[in-house]
Amino acid sequence: MFSSIAAAAPAKQSVGDTITVLSGRLSSATLLEDRRAAILGLRSFAKDYPASVASGALRSLIGCLSGDGEDVDTVRVVLETLLMLFSPNQDSPEASEEIALWLADEFTQRQENITLLLDFLETNDFYSRLYSLQLLVAILAARTERTEECISSAPLGIPRLVAVLEDRRDAIRNEALTLLTYLTPSSSLIQQSVAYQNAFDRTFAIIDAEGSLLEGGRIVEDCLIFLANLLRLNPPNQSLFRESGCAVQLAKLLESTYHTGKEEEEEVAAWAQEQQNRNIYALLAVIRLFLVPAAVGTSQNQLAFWQHGVLYHALQVAFSHRAEMPIRAEALTTCADTIRGNARLQENFAQLQVPSVLETAPTTNGQAGKSNGVPSIYVIDGLLDLSLSVPSTQAFDLRVAACQCIKAYFFNHPEVRMHFLRRAIEGHASGVDETANVLTTLLRPTNTPSSNDPYRHWFAAAIVFHLVFDNPEGKALTMSVTEGDAESGEEVVTSIQTITAHLVTALSRGDDDRISVGYLMLLIGWLFEDVDGVNDFLGEGSNIHALAQEIVRHPPGSPLVQGLCAMILGVIYEFSTKDSPIPRSTLHSVIMSRVGREKYIDALNKLRSHSLMRDYEVTPQKADGSGSLPDVYFDATFVEFFKDNYSRIARAIDREPGLEISVVTNGVQKGISRELVDSLRSQLEEKEQALQAALTDVASLNGKLGQEQADHRRSNEASTAELARIKNINESIQRQHEGELKKLEAQQQAKSDAHQKQLEVAKKEATAAMELLRVEHNTKEAELQRQIDYVRKTTEAEAARVQRRAEAEMADLRATISRLEVDLMKANKAKTQAVEAAREELNSKLSAEESKSKSAEKRAADLEKQVSTKQEELGEVRTRLKEKEEQQASTQTELDDLLMVFGDLEDKVEKYKKRLKGLGEVISDAEGEDDDGDDDDDDSEDSEVD
């Protein structure tokens, strides 16, 4: 019986068939319950068969979000199904990364799909909001750029997302924060859109609600990462942040990290402590985003952080005994960025006070005991204590940050740099035991083994290097520092020689290479382009031999030390002179004999190609956490200096000893070719000898000049007597000339009177001739005027007659044309009537009256001939009309010619009038009119006048 029942049971349906059936039911069902049941069935397969479900029902699922959006339960199930498709089971046979891309493409290719998900953020339903945000995060992860465009283009897309940050439900708020964090890393437009939706205040409100930095969890870190996305390389957002007063919030957060208000330190779990450190580190990273060197708005950000206490609180965090070493180091780096390059802040920075770092010894994990009652010291002293007096290896990053902060204190500020240097010199000269004095550290090293803390000397050398580098005044001031008391009979040694002696001792003793590298960096930067410093260095000749010996030592030492020794020898030779304690030529021969050119170039090449020098910019200059000394040997400024001047120093050994390098220091040129100086001196002696010879010649010439002056006086007296005689003769001649001039004037007056009489007679004769010419002109002008009137009347009559005749002919032609057109119309009408009659007869009696049809066709042909004849006549009439028009045109041309003749005659009359006026006659308009009526002569007379 059971076997028969089993045989009658339906066949088992496969998964693919089931998904196909459910997909079809979802797309075709009309009832909401049926669609929801189909979605529930698809959801059960979504985790294990995402490709099958997506290919068959994805668009239907998205359509349900649009059609059934008001039903909360249906929307929830659909969103859950879509989220399962984005995150299927890893062991599913259909699991693939391409499915997420395919799903994201389906959503992002149509703007309304993203807008639909954003619309669910307007609802109050928990799951609709949460799942919509999670789905947007999944789509954004798959298709970032396209999703960003869709969200930005959606109506109120960004404002609606930012508004979700105020949701009181933590899950929804946190998901919105995650979405915004993923949405804002790269697009500056989206960053600005989010920022202008009051995102900063909302984010700080979340941080405060989560318990700030110390008590907040991962959400606080996410908030700070979100702020970093909005502020990174975005000056408009940074300006908005600054103008919105958010710098105060940063100061409060920093203050809360060390000023907890609790008298006793509570025990904190390791994971909680780690999260606290991550939160504080993220906050410091956000602050440093405002302090990018040479960026737009950096100076304004520095001033804002100073005014609102961000710098002060960062310093307190850096010197707090509760904070761990990495946090303190990052806080000091933040302080360095805050004051670097800002003169106002650099000048005020030294007035701040911080807790002393030497009162409580730090433990191995970076924490210390209670800081209550710890005295305060000035920040520069505290930074020097950190750099020079904290030998712990775990505090290396903190010491580096303190050193960077000191460098930032006098960076690009000559006054502050010289003030710092003078204070260091005064402290060293006072003899007080100052363990944190950089000059004392370098010039008077302690007796403790340097292997315990080689970086003490290294940091001191790096700070002094920045004080004297490219600072001629600082070099001179530091070189004035000496060791030894001359009054007590001690040998006085300069600071350069003292540092060099310590360098040679470190090399011979085999001390840590970091100590030697620090000394060499300082000396190279000090002696470069400093002739006086080079001469001071060469005052002790054994130093050159010691450095040369280090380069060629066997077995070879550190390539870093050997390369720097070669570098300093090149610098010394480059800027040495003939007058140096070791002459330039001698120095060149020593280097070539003790080292050799090949070894010198090889040492420099090995230094340049060493990973610590070559890859300095990409290698973190931090401790590796292993407890051993870090591989930090160089200062960033020195590395840049070495790479810039490597080629120059490498070629220095090939320069002839006789050619010195010209160095301009404080406007004074130092160093020049000695051969040129000797030649100039010989030329000067030759000029002096020539000058003495010239002075002798001048004395002899002065004697000759006195003799010549006496002779000149005698000749001058003779010339005066001769001049008086000539003057008397000249006066007599002048009197004779005046008499003759009066006679000539009388004769000229007589001639002038006679000429005047002749002129009056000629004037009368000219007047009479002019009168005759005027009468003659009037007569001829009258004749010309009569001719003009005659021609004008004749022309007008002829023109009128021609015009009347042409008009009559044109009227006849128009009448003929009208008659012909009437005849043509009649003929056409008759033809049309005949054709119609013939058609009717053909339609009715086609078979019986073929003969009539032929006669009708014949009549039609006759009529066509008549029409063609009429058309020919019409053409002839048109031709005649055209000829008449041409005749009229020729008549008009003749009329124009007559008018031109008339114009020429008038021009001639005007010319005659002008001639008479030119002769002095006055012609009135009345006379011209009278003359026009009396002149009737022909054109021949006019020609004679011309």
Side-chain angles (χ1 to χ4, degrees), residues 549-827:
Q549 182 63 31
E550 179 63 25
I551 298 175
V552 297
R553 65 178 290 188
H554 187 78
S558 169
L560 300 179
V561 176
Q562 289 183 334
L564 290 176
C565 288
M567 181 79 173
I568 194 171
L569 287 179
V571 170
I572 292 170
Y573 176 71
E574 178 78 355
F575 300 102
S576 62
T577 65
K578 183 180 180 181
D579 298 330
S580 297
I582 300 178
R584 184 174 173 84
S585 58
T586 305
L587 181 61
H588 183 267
S589 61
V590 169
I591 295 175
M592 296 300 292
S593 61
R594 297 294 301 273
V595 179
R597 182 181 183 281
E598 293 76 10
K599 187 63 177 178
Y600 172 82
I601 298 299
D602 181 66
L604 288 176
N605 286 335
K606 287 182 178 180
L607 174 60
R608 185 182 63 170
S609 60
H610 198 283
S611 59
L612 294 177
M613 176 66 73
R614 184 190 64 230
D615 303 331
Y616 179 86
E617 291 80 4
V618 296
T619 304
Q621 303 299 310
K622 295 182 178 181
D624 54 7
S626 62
S628 59
L629 292 175
D631 290 333
V632 177
Y633 288 84
F634 299 111
D635 180 83
T637 304
F638 177 79
V639 171
E640 182 180 358
F641 161 79
F642 174 81
K643 293 181 178 179
D644 290 342
N645 294 278
Y646 166 80
S647 299
R648 176 180 180 180
I649 302 303
R651 293 193 301 267
I653 197 68
D654 298 328
R655 190 171 289 109
E656 292 296 330
L659 181 61
E660 299 179 8
I661 299 300
S662 176
V663 178
V664 178
T665 304
N666 293 329
V668 179
Q669 183 173 356
K670 298 182 178 180
I672 194 170
S673 175
R674 286 297 171 177
E675 295 178 356
L676 178 61
V677 172
D678 296 339
S679 64
L680 290 175
R681 285 177 178 174
S682 62
Q683 293 177 11
L684 181 60
E685 292 176 356
E686 293 175 358
K687 296 296 183 182
E688 289 179 352
Q689 294 174 0
L691 180 60
Q692 293 297 330
L695 292 175
T696 304
D697 295 340
V698 167
S700 62
L701 290 174
N702 286 334
K704 294 179 181 180
L705 179 61
Q707 184 65 31
E708 294 291 336
Q709 287 177 350
D711 296 340
H712 176 68
R713 282 195 297 272
R714 289 193 294 270
S715 63
N716 193 18
E717 292 174 355
S719 299
T720 302
E722 183 67 19
L723 181 61
R725 186 179 65 80
I726 293 173
K727 186 176 182 181
N728 294 331
I729 296 172
N730 186 29
E731 289 177 354
S732 62
I733 294 173
Q734 185 72 19
R735 288 192 294 271
Q736 293 176 4
H737 176 70
E738 289 178 355
E740 292 177 357
L741 184 61
K742 290 179 180 179
K743 292 178 182 180
L744 290 174
E745 287 179 354
Q747 293 175 2
Q748 183 67 24
Q749 183 65 30
K751 290 180 181 181
S752 177
D753 294 341
H755 177 70
Q756 186 67 26
K757 291 177 182 179
Q758 292 176 2
L759 183 61
E760 290 178 355
V761 173
K763 186 175 182 181
K764 291 179 181 179
E765 291 176 356
T767 302
M770 187 181 297
E771 184 65 24
L772 291 175
L773 287 174
R774 187 180 67 79
V775 173
E776 182 180 357
H777 173 266
N778 291 338
T779 303
K780 290 183 179 182
E781 186 177 7
E783 290 177 359
L784 289 173
Q785 189 64 36
R786 284 195 296 275
Q787 291 177 6
I788 291 170
D789 291 341
Y790 174 75
V791 171
R792 181 187 298 166
K793 292 176 182 178
T794 305
T795 302
E796 290 178 354
E798 181 64 22
R801 183 179 62 77
V802 171
Q803 186 173 3
R804 287 195 298 274
R805 184 172 63 186
E807 289 177 353
E809 290 179 355
M810 289 177 66
D812 293 340
L813 289 174
R814 289 192 184 95
T816 303
I817 290 171
S818 300
R819 179 175 57 77
L820 291 175
E821 289 177 349
V822 171
D823 293 342
L824 181 60
M825 292 174 62
K826 289 180 180 180

Side-chain angles (χ1 to χ4, degrees), residues 106 160 178 189 206 212-213 248 279 323 362 366 388 405 419 451 489 492 497 632 646 676 732 741 790 830 905 941:
E106 187 65 32
R160 286 191 283 186
T178 302
L189 294 178
I206 296 175
S212 192
L213 300 180
V248 178
N279 293 343
L388 305 178
C405 199
H419 171 74
S451 58
V492 178
Q497 294 180 1
V632 177
Y646 166 80
L676 178 61
S732 62
L741 184 61
Y790 174 75
L905 293 174
E941 295 175 354

Side-chain angles (χ1 to χ4, degrees), residues 342-374:
N342 194 308
R344 176 182 172 186
L345 269 61
Q346 289 171 322
E347 294 167 2
N348 295 326
F349 178 70
Q351 305 303 320
L352 299 177
Q353 292 188 347
V354 294
S356 174
V357 297
L358 301 180
E359 295 297 327
T360 304
T363 58
T364 56
N365 61 358
Q367 292 185 349
K370 300 177 182 180
S371 60
N372 296 336
V374 176

Side-chain angles (χ1 to χ4, degrees), residues 834-835 837-839 841-842 845-863:
V835 171
R839 280 183 181 173
E841 289 176 358
L842 286 173
K845 301 177 180 181
L846 180 61
S847 60
E849 297 184 1
E850 291 181 356
S851 58
K852 292 182 180 181
S853 175
K854 293 179 180 179
S855 62
E857 292 177 356
K858 194 173 183 181
R859 282 182 64 193
D862 294 338
L863 290 173

Side-chain angles (χ1 to χ4, degrees), residues 82-83 86 100 104 133-143 147 179:
L82 292 173
L83 286 173
F86 272 100
L133 292 171
Q134 292 176 349
L135 193 57
L136 285 172
V137 170
I139 297 170
L140 180 63
R143 294 295 186 192
T147 307
L179 175 59

